[in-house]
């Protein structure tokens, strides 16, 4: 009997290939995890307090920008999308942007600590710019992280400007004393601006009454015929629209931060750039018979004038006017020297304030150390003049840290041997800044010795005992106490008791015994506490 033909059963499959509730659940879980991950990334991207820019790694076109960056630059999302990074106004230096992109394609990593950017409304700011190129599911992507460092950059520029102005003010005293004529004094100021201030060229012009022309009285530095070609006037015309003409008319400081792009410099741009002039500033001042004169400076960098430097340059203009008057009488000369000493001390305070803006973790440190130094010196019976000089030195005893990268100063863990070696250079850096400034006190020596120890174990020179100034011995004790009592990035505050125990342990070994005893007296018997800033 025949049997019906039965269809063959399909070949069996491994159980892993069979659809199952577990397999479907796994796919659902993976999909959910991916959605959660993407949502988390998108939230981080949109809420980040730094700018984030995503670029096409082949074309440099912008593919996405987060809200923080859009707000920072002032461009809309639509205005940014699809543009090459150098096609938006924020990145002014097209050649640098293109070169950076090529380097990024090759090296896959680029970093700038102070990259200048400009927002849509023309506001300049400085950013830390870090770019990485990486593979994202087979597609090359460039991610740029942009952090606004304008405050730190401004503080650093202000600190550099203040130290430069301090030396310029100091040299001005010597210039007045050795100048017998106004022209000699004006020449000296131009020389100081170039040799000490770091400007490429300085000149002083006076406004003529007849044709509103500006006559050059003195100049110094790299001119190469520029002034002869400039034909600068104080008339309200194209050739009177530069900082010099504007300053003489308005009797106010005027400057151009970027000669290459500022329309006011169009008549002089080509010749100025040929000589390396990138920015210029003009400071007006009065000379005899009520005439206006103007000190004009040219620099090799753009946008270098912070509010601090502008204030100090105005003071230099005032000093020039006062100096010319001082040449007329001996009494005026004495008043001028007193005024200049006051300017030096005010500049020291500016340096102290701006230095602490650069390093937020030690804000107030120098002020507190200076305050404690005053108390210790009072306890030891020193004169008011001695204490005044010590207070000034203590107020800027960490000035040399301007030469140390801020990343090392604020590092949240112990320094390596190499990094600490860099820190140990800060007394020498300060000394080199201040050594030629004429103070009535040995400010530079006090500062360079404040890490010396009486047993010779200190730095930078390994001085011992009486080789160290009395002021530096007091400063060393106050510095140790304040540093230990206060918070640091790499440790919490240890407190006053621990700090006083440390100086007791080092009394007569590394720290001066008299200074230690006076410090203990101030804290234990007079109930001294650091002032609240």
């Amino acid at each position: 009997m025949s049997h019906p033909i039965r269809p063959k059963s399909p070949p069996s499959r491994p159980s892993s290939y069979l659809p199952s509730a577990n397999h479907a659940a796994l796919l659902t879980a993976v999909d959910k995890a991916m959605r959660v991950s993407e949502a988390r990334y998108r939230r981080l991207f949109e809420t980040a307090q730094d700018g984030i820019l995503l670029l096409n790694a082949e074309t440099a076109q912008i593919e996405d920008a987060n809200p923080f960056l859009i707000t920072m630059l002032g461009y809309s999302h639509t205005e940014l999308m699809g543009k090459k990074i150098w096609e938006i106004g924020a990145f002014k230096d097209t050649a640098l942007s293109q070169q950076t992109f090529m380097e990024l394609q090759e090296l896959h990593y680029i970093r700038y600590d102070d990259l200048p950017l400009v927002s849509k409304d023309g506001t300049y700011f400085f950013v830390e710019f870090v770019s990485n190129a990486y593979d994202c599911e087979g597609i090359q992507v460039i991610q740029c992280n942009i952090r606004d460092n304008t405050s730190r950059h401004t503080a650093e520029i202000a600190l550099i400007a203040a130290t430069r102005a301090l030396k310029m003010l100091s040299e001005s005293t010597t210039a007045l004393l050795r100048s017998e004529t106004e022209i000699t004094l004006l020449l000296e100021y131009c020389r100081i601006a170039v040799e000490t201030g770091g400007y490429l060229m300085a000149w002083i012009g006076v406004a003529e009454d007849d044709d509103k022309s500006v006559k050059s009285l003195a100049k110094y530095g790299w001119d190469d015929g520029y002034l002869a070609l400039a034909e600068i006037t104080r008339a309200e015309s194209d050739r009177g629209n530069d900082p010099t003409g504007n300053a003489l008319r308005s009797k106010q400081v005027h400057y151009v931060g970027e000669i290459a792009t500022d329309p006011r410099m169009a008549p002089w741009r080509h010749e100025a750039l040929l000589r390396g002039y990138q920015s210029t500033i003009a400071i007006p001042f009065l000379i005899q018979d009520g005439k206006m004169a103007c000190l004009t400076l040219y620099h090799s960098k753009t946008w270098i004038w912070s509010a601090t430097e502008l204030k100090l340059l105005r003071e230099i203009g005032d000093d020039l006017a006062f100096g010319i008057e001082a040449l007329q009488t001996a009494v005026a000369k004495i008043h001028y020297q007193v005024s200049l000493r006051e300017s030096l001390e005010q500049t020291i305070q500016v340096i102290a304030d701006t230095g602490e803006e650069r390093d937020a973790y030690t804000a107030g440190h120098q002020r507190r150390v200076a305050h404690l130094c005053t108390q210790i010196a009072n306890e030891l019976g020193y004169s008011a003049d001695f204490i005044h000089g010590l207070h000034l030195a203590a107020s800027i005893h960490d000035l040399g840290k301007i030469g140390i990268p801020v990343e090392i100063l604020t590092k949240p863990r112990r320094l390596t041997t190499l990094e600490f070696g860099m820190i140990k250079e800060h007394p020498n850096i300060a000394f080199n800044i201040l050594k030629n400034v004429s103070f009535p006190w040995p400010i530079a020596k006090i500062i360079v010795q404040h890490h010396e120890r009486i047993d010779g174990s200190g730095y930078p020179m390994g001085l011992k005992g009486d080789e160290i100034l009395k002021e530096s011995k007091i400063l060393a004790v106050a510095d140790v106490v304040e540093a230990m009592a206060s918070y640091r990035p790499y440790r919490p505050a240890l407190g006053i008791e621990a700090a006083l125990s440390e100086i007791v342990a080092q009394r007569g070994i590394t720290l001066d015994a008299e200074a230690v005893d006076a410090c203990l007296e101030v804290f234990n018997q007079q109930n001294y506490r650091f002032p609240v800033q």
Side-chain angles (χ1 to χ4, degrees):
M1 185 167 99
S2 63
H3 297 281
I5 299 174
R6 295 177 179 177
K8 294 182 179 179
S9 299
S12 62
R13 295 181 181 177
S15 61
S16 61
Y17 284 90
L18 293 174
S20 68
N22 288 340
H23 188 63
L26 177 62
L27 292 175
T28 300
V30 169
D31 182 59
K32 181 179 180 181
M34 289 180 65
R35 288 199 304 271
V36 169
S37 177
E38 183 177 346
R40 184 180 293 126
Y41 165 77
R42 176 53 57 177
R43 179 170 177 78
L44 289 172
F45 180 80
E46 292 180 349
T47 61
Q49 295 305 295
D50 290 331
I52 302 175
L53 197 62
L54 299 181
L55 307 179
N56 183 301
E58 298 298 326
T59 66
Q61 288 176 308
I62 298 171
E63 296 187 338
D64 207 351
N66 73 335
F68 188 90
L69 183 64
I70 290 170
T71 300
M72 180 190 295
L73 298 181
Y75 291 90
S76 69
H77 191 270
T78 303
E79 288 176 308
L80 294 177
M81 292 307 100
K83 298 276 181 57
K84 294 185 187 330
I85 193 169
W86 50 83
E87 290 177 343
I88 60 175
F91 297 84
K92 299 290 288 185
D93 194 331
T94 300
L96 175 62
S97 298
Q98 292 173 335
Q99 178 186 345
T100 297
F101 182 71
M102 292 172 62
E103 290 179 12
L104 187 56
Q105 287 180 311
E106 179 182 353
L107 302 175
H108 303 288
Y109 176 80
I110 285 289
R111 173 176 178 152
Y112 289 96
D113 287 326
D114 285 306
L115 183 71
L117 296 184
V118 60
S119 64
K120 188 177 180 180
D121 67 4
T123 302
Y124 271 79
F125 52 99
F126 294 83
V127 300
E128 176 186 303
F129 187 88
V130 181
S131 293
N132 292 277
Y134 55 87
D135 182 88
C136 181
E137 298 183 355
I139 300 174
Q140 280 289 307
V141 176
I142 291 174
Q143 178 174 323
C144 307
N145 291 76
I146 302 171
R147 173 169 295 175
D148 189 349
N149 276 347
T150 303
S151 295
R152 191 187 81 189
H153 176 86
T154 302
E156 290 181 352
I157 293 297
L159 185 55
I160 292 169
T163 55
R164 184 168 62 241
L166 180 63
K167 291 190 283 187
M168 290 174 67
L169 285 168
S170 173
E171 289 192 36
S172 300
T173 306
T174 307
L176 174 67
L177 294 175
R178 68 182 175 212
S179 297
E180 297 181 358
T181 67
E182 293 175 10
I183 295 300
T184 304
L185 180 64
L186 298 180
L187 282 169
E188 276 294 281
Y189 264 81
C190 290
R191 180 195 64 77
I192 291 167
V194 172
E195 293 186 355
T196 301
Y199 294 93
L200 283 179
M201 196 265 282
W203 71 285
I204 293 175
V206 62
E208 297 285 75
D209 292 329
D210 49 1
D211 57 358
K212 295 191 176 181
S213 62
V214 181
K215 177 184 177 183
S216 175
L217 298 178
K219 66 179 179 180
Y220 194 90
W222 175 241
D223 169 57
D224 193 32
Y226 179 79
L227 291 180
L229 296 169
E231 298 179 4
I232 292 172
T233 174
R234 62 186 177 92
E236 294 188 15
S237 63
D238 286 348
R239 288 200 167 270
N241 201 31
D242 76 320
T244 304
N246 278 314
L248 287 171
R249 286 196 304 274
S250 68
K251 301 180 183 179
Q252 300 291 326
V253 172
H254 280 260
Y255 66 91
V256 165
E258 189 173 23
I259 290 175
T261 59
D262 196 304
R264 291 173 295 174
M265 289 299 292
W268 306 276
R269 180 175 296 127
H270 177 71
E271 296 297 334
L273 295 177
L274 276 180
R275 291 159 178 81
Y277 306 158
Q278 297 295 328
S279 54
T280 179
I281 189 166
I283 305 101
F285 61 95
L286 282 169
I287 56 176
Q288 77 274 21
D289 302 325
K291 282 189 175 182
M292 288 299 300
C294 190
L295 169 64
T296 304
L297 309 170
Y298 297 84
H299 205 282
S300 60
K301 295 181 180 179
T302 60
W303 296 104
I304 67 163
W305 292 294
S306 64
T308 301
E309 181 152 20
L310 288 173
K311 177 177 181 294
L312 294 168
L313 286 174
R314 289 187 187 98
E315 289 181 6
I316 286 175
D318 293 340
D319 289 340
L320 258 173
F322 201 2
I324 290 174
E325 179 185 348
L327 288 170
Q328 310 302 318
T329 66
V331 172
K333 184 175 289 190
I334 292 171
H335 284 305
Y336 176 71
Q337 292 177 46
V338 171
S339 173
L340 209 49
R341 171 170 163 169
E342 291 174 353
S343 294
L344 288 171
E345 294 186 22
Q346 290 169 3
T347 305
I348 283 180
Q349 190 55 54
V350 169
I351 291 171
D353 293 342
T354 53
E356 289 175 356
E357 289 177 25
R358 180 175 184 257
D359 179 8
Y361 289 104
T362 57
H365 167 69
Q366 293 182 126
R367 287 195 298 274
R368 289 191 292 270
V369 169
H371 194 271
L372 178 54
C373 281
T374 298
Q375 306 305 309
I376 295 172
N378 264 321
E379 177 64 26
L380 290 170
Y382 285 108
S383 69
D385 187 66
F386 176 97
I387 294 172
H388 188 56
L390 171 59
H391 186 274
L392 289 174
S395 296
I396 55 170
H397 71 272
D398 278 338
L399 169 63
K401 288 183 178 177
I402 188 177
I404 311 299
V406 74
E407 291 78 11
I408 292 178
L409 296 177
T410 59
K411 187 175 179 180
R413 54 185 179 275
R414 292 287 178 181
L415 300 177
T416 66
T417 301
L418 179 61
E419 290 168 338
F420 186 59
M422 294 177 66
I423 290 286
K424 290 168 71 173
E425 282 300 307
H426 79 272
N428 275 328
I429 295 171
F431 180 77
N432 288 329
I433 291 172
L434 298 171
K435 64 183 179 182
N436 294 322
V437 179
S438 299
F439 289 110
W441 313 275
I443 301 290
K445 287 185 178 180
I446 295 171
I447 292 174
V448 79
Q449 293 180 13
H450 81 278
H451 277 292
E452 300 290 354
R453 298 295 181 258
I454 61 173
D455 64 349
S457 63
Y459 61 86
M461 295 173 286
L463 301 180
K464 295 182 179 180
D466 291 340
E467 295 174 335
I468 306 170
L469 293 173
K470 294 182 178 67
E471 295 96 327
S472 301
K473 292 176 180 177
I474 295 172
L475 178 51
V477 170
D479 194 32
V480 168
V481 171
E482 200 288 330
M484 289 189 65
S486 301
Y487 166 81
R488 288 295 180 269
Y490 52 85
R491 60 152 173 81
L494 301 177
I496 291 295
E497 288 187 11
L500 296 182
S501 295
E502 175 64 17
I503 65 171
V504 168
Q506 295 301 317
R507 179 186 182 277
I509 302 172
T510 63
L511 300 174
D512 180 72
E514 287 187 352
V516 169
D517 290 344
C519 183
L520 294 172
E521 177 73 17
V522 165
F523 275 98
N524 294 331
Q525 303 303 318
Q526 300 176 20
N527 296 318
Y528 173 81
R529 292 296 179 265
F530 286 112
V532 177
Q533 301 296 334

